[in-house]
């Protein structure tokens, strides 16, 4: 795919498409352009195009990077995408035959092991601006399904053994006829009785009720890089639910949320702070202390400063997630109008007004 191509356009979806929309679009497009069912000369190239688009958009990190920087992050196709591995042929399928299996229920006769991948999990993590400034490693506790230690994941009560499935005869598969828009297919599908294992459990394990998995809690450490924003997702490989019967574990997706700060406002890499100063300070000038995310700084207020003047502390903002330096801290001064003046103060201000040629209304 050239750098000018739009991955969303390749799959026929909008930029706001959900993960399920992306997967559904890919399956529909793959069914249409799979070289085994589409004999047009351009089908193979089109199939590669939609597969490349799916590799990017189905992966949260790759999609986030693509959404932020577009095709400029790709040089010479997906292989040039810095920091990510596109070496695998497909994200969720093992080549053409497995895609065919998804559409037609295993028409190639590929034998199934009964292994099922574990589910992905979500964890929402709140962060402060101070944590975003330097990055942080946080320990979180998750509840997920893990292999049952009593039966070692088999689902059978210790001392008993699984028996051969009577419905499939131990093969884990059954044959059936299916009619599709592409014609009739005799397909080999996973046995619904044993779910492809070829065995059933007659005496279930009491600890896991025969499922082979139990729910447990674990504490894991998550490294959050500096400069993150709300909405970014971090993936912890293999920290999701354990797969069934030896299937690959799911992943844990940590959704980041940067909490509003009590005095600072964020705009990208820059942060803003409003500082109230007196009329005297604005008129005569002074040096005052102002807060930063990592301490204090001294701000020089020149004489004659006007209301809503903005002062900049370069490099005192937040870091770039892509290591492109730091933003700025911008101080907006608001001049306070004095109230409840004493007689002496009023007299002084009136004298000041007369000296400036101002007449009192």
């Amino acid at each position: 795919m050239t750098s000018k191509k739009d991955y969303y356009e390749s799959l026929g979806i909008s930029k706001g498409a959900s993960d399920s929309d992306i997967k559904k679009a890919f399956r529909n497009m793959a069914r249409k352009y799979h070289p085994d069912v589409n004999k047009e000369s351009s089908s193979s190239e089109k199939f590669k195009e939609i597969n490349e688009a799916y590799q990017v958009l189905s992966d949260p990190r790759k999609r986030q990077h693509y959404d932020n920087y577009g095709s400029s992050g790709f040089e010479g196709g997906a292989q040039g995408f810095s920091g990510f591995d596109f070496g695998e042929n497909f994200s969720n399928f093992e080549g053409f035959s497995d895609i065919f299996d998804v559409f037609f229920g295993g028409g190639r006769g590929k034998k199934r092991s009964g292994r099922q991948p574990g589910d992905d999990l979500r964890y929402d993590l709140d962060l402060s601006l101070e944590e975003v400034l330097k990055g942080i490693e946080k320990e979180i506790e998750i509840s997920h399904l893990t292999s049952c230690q009593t039966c070692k994941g088999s689902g059978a009560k210790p001392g008993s053994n699984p028996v051969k499935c009577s419905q499939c005869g131990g093969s884990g598969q059954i044959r059936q006829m299916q009619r599709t828009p592409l014609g009739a297919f005799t397909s080999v599908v996973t046995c619904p009785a044993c779910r492809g294992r070829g065995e059933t459990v007659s005496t279930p394990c009491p600890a896991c009720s025969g499922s082979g998995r139990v729910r447990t809690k674990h504490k894991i450490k998550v490294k959050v890089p500096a400069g993150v924003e709300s909405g970014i997702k971090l993936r912890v490989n293999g920290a999701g639910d354990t797969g069934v019967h030896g299937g690959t574990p799911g992943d844990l997706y940590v959704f980041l949320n940067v909490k509003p700060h009590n005095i600072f406002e964020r705009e990208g890499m820059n942060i803003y702070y409003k500082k109230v100063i007196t009329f005297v300070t604005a008129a005569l000038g002074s040096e005052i202390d102002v807060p930063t995310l990592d301490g204090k700084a001294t701000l020089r207020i020149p004489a004659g400063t006007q209301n809503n003047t903005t002062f900049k502390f370069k490099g005192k903002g937040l870091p770039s997630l892509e290591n492109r330096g730091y933003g700025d801290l911008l101080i907006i001064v608001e001049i306070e109008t004095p109230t409840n003046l004493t007689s002496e103060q009023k007299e002084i201000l009136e004298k000041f007004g007369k000296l400036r040629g101002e007449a009192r209304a």
Side-chain angles (χ1 to χ4, degrees):
M1 179 178 289
T2 67
S3 60
K4 293 182 180 180
K5 288 195 175 181
D6 186 322
Y7 288 139
Y8 291 100
E9 183 180 340
S10 295
L11 293 180
I13 55 178
S14 65
K15 190 172 182 180
S18 65
D19 292 343
S20 61
D21 290 337
I22 293 171
K23 187 172 184 179
K24 181 179 179 180
F26 172 68
R27 288 189 174 187
N28 290 337
M29 296 288 280
R31 177 186 301 191
K32 181 177 180 181
Y33 291 104
H34 193 294
D36 283 359
V37 295
N38 190 322
K39 302 305 180 182
E40 294 182 8
S41 58
S42 60
S43 64
S44 180
E45 192 63 31
K46 180 64 176 178
F47 189 81
K48 292 178 182 179
E49 177 184 320
I50 61 176
N51 174 58
E52 183 176 311
Y54 181 70
Q55 288 187 60
V56 174
L57 300 183
S58 64
D59 184 289
R61 290 181 64 204
K62 297 173 188 174
R63 183 180 181 184
Q64 181 73 43
H65 194 97
Y66 177 70
D67 287 345
N68 287 341
Y69 302 104
S71 54
S72 62
F74 298 79
E75 299 175 359
Q79 296 292 342
F81 188 55
S82 175
F84 298 107
D85 178 18
F86 285 84
E88 56 187 333
N89 288 330
F90 301 94
S91 300
N92 295 316
F93 305 107
E94 297 177 358
F96 289 173
S97 61
D98 276 353
I99 295 177
F100 202 87
D101 290 343
V102 170
F103 300 144
F104 305 118
R108 296 291 182 92
K110 182 176 179 179
K111 187 171 182 179
R112 299 293 184 178
S113 65
R115 296 177 180 175
Q116 299 175 30
D119 291 333
D120 295 333
L121 300 179
R122 170 174 177 155
Y123 186 95
D124 293 288
L125 180 62
D126 289 335
L127 301 169
S128 68
L129 273 184
E130 286 80 4
E131 291 171 329
V132 172
L133 175 65
K134 296 182 178 181
I136 192 172
E137 183 176 75
K138 284 215 168 188
E139 185 176 72
I140 63 175
E141 184 177 73
I142 62 170
S143 173
H144 59 167
L145 294 172
T146 58
S147 182
C148 176
Q149 296 302 304
T150 302
C151 64
K152 307 302 180 184
S154 70
K157 182 179 179 180
S160 66
N161 295 308
V163 297
K164 181 186 293 186
C165 176
S166 59
Q167 187 165 334
C168 66
S171 68
Q173 301 171 320
I174 58 174
R175 298 176 65 85
Q176 66 180 26
M177 174 72 75
Q178 286 184 306
R179 294 189 177 278
T180 74
L182 302 175
F185 290 86
T186 299
S187 59
V188 179
V189 299
T190 301
C191 174
C194 65
R195 297 184 179 180
R197 292 194 67 194
E199 299 174 329
T200 57
V201 175
S202 58
T203 309
C205 169
C208 64
S209 301
S211 68
R213 301 185 299 176
V214 293
R215 185 163 294 279
T216 57
K217 291 184 177 181
H218 281 103
K219 292 183 178 180
I220 63 174
K221 291 183 178 180
V222 177
K223 289 186 177 181
V224 180
V228 296
E229 297 185 53
S230 293
I232 288 180
K233 295 172 282 188
L234 304 178
R235 181 171 65 181
V236 183
N237 291 329
D241 286 343
T242 295
V244 178
H245 306 311
T248 56
D251 298 327
L252 170 66
Y253 288 92
V254 181
F255 285 68
L256 304 181
N257 174 56
V258 182
K259 297 181 295 184
H261 200 274
N262 59 338
I263 62 172
F264 295 115
E265 289 189 12
R266 177 182 188 177
E267 188 174 303
M269 295 165 58
N270 296 330
I271 55 175
Y272 293 80
Y273 172 69
K274 289 185 178 181
K275 176 64 177 178
V276 177
I277 62 175
T278 65
F279 167 77
V280 175
T281 299
L284 301 180
S286 181
E287 287 188 350
I288 61 174
D289 287 336
V290 292
T292 70
L293 280 175
D294 58 354
K296 292 183 178 181
T298 300
L299 173 64
R300 188 178 70 84
I301 304 292
T305 293
Q306 300 299 302
N307 192 45
N308 289 326
T309 299
T310 300
F311 298 92
K312 180 190 293 185
F313 284 88
K314 192 171 181 60
K316 280 292 186 178
L318 296 169
S320 163
L321 188 58
E322 290 76 31
N323 297 318
R324 293 186 288 108
Y326 282 74
D328 303 320
L329 167 61
L330 297 122
I331 309 294
I332 304 171
V333 296
E334 294 184 348
I335 300 174
E336 181 182 37
T337 301
T339 59
N340 302 319
L341 297 173
T342 65
S343 297
E344 183 180 3
Q345 290 170 334
K346 289 179 181 179
E347 183 179 343
I348 292 173
L349 286 177
E350 286 174 352
K351 183 177 181 180
F352 173 75
K354 290 178 181 179
L355 290 173
R356 288 177 55 90
E358 299 174 1
R360 185 177 180 184

